[in-house]
Amino acid sequence: MAAVVVTGLCMVLLSGVALADVLVVTDSRHPIQRMGGERVIELDLPARIEAELSTGLPADPGRAEAIMQQRLREGNETLQRHIGLAYQDVAEAWGLGIVKIPAVVVDRRYVIYGEPNVARAAARIDAYRSARP
């Protein structure tokens, strides 16, 4: 396990990729191995938040609506901001044209699909960029 962490860290340190430039697009069914510092968009996060908010709602639509509004009020601005950011992230992934997950995106320009190890994907992108200056 320690060797994997060290290997991943070495790959990041040796690559010219700045951590702030790495974006990962995935969902809860496609786990990733983070390298640290990358931004992660989970495409199913909005649905998971909504499912959590909907848990235990009664069948009566009027009562269910009242309970949902109460839950949203109790969650305050923090919950509303969390929901809004989750949807903005999904829109950003769509805007980038992501077609498969997991996807590791560097500089909003280079992408590796299907590689769950973020450090390895970032190193592959860096090698590609170095070969084509």
Side-chain angles (χ1 to χ4, degrees):
M1 177 73 166
V4 172
V5 172
V6 171
T7 301
L9 183 58
C10 287
M11 290 173 84
V12 171
L13 293 175
L14 294 174
S15 98
V17 177
L19 294 180
D21 297 336
V22 179
L23 171 68
V24 181
V25 181
T26 191
D27 65 14
S28 60
R29 294 179 312 234
H30 296 86
I32 58 167
Q33 296 170 336
R34 297 185 70 147
M35 66 179 182
E38 68 272 51
R39 184 168 152 237
V40 178
I41 292 176
E42 295 178 87
L43 296 177
D44 60 348
L45 183 57
R48 292 189 342 249
I49 294 169
E50 290 175 8
E52 185 177 322
L53 284 170
S54 301
T55 300
L57 289 177
D60 175 42
R63 286 191 40 204
E65 180 181 355
I67 292 170
M68 181 63 85
Q69 287 177 359
Q70 178 185 359
R71 289 177 182 176
L72 288 170
R73 276 193 307 276
E74 288 171 357
N76 210 335
E77 292 177 21
T78 303
L79 174 62
Q80 293 171 15
R81 188 172 29 257
H82 188 57
I83 293 169
L85 288 174
Y87 277 108
Q88 285 177 350
D89 283 350
V90 170
E92 181 178 355
W94 286 342
L96 288 170
I98 300 302
V99 296
K100 183 179 174 184
I101 54 176
V104 177
V105 182
V106 174
D107 291 341
R108 302 181 63 82
R109 182 174 172 191
Y110 304 96
V111 63
I112 295 286
Y113 290 111
E115 174 58 70
N117 184 310
V118 178
R120 194 173 2 210
R124 285 178 55 198
I125 290 170
D126 189 51
Y128 175 84
R129 291 193 311 184
S130 296
R132 291 160 184 81

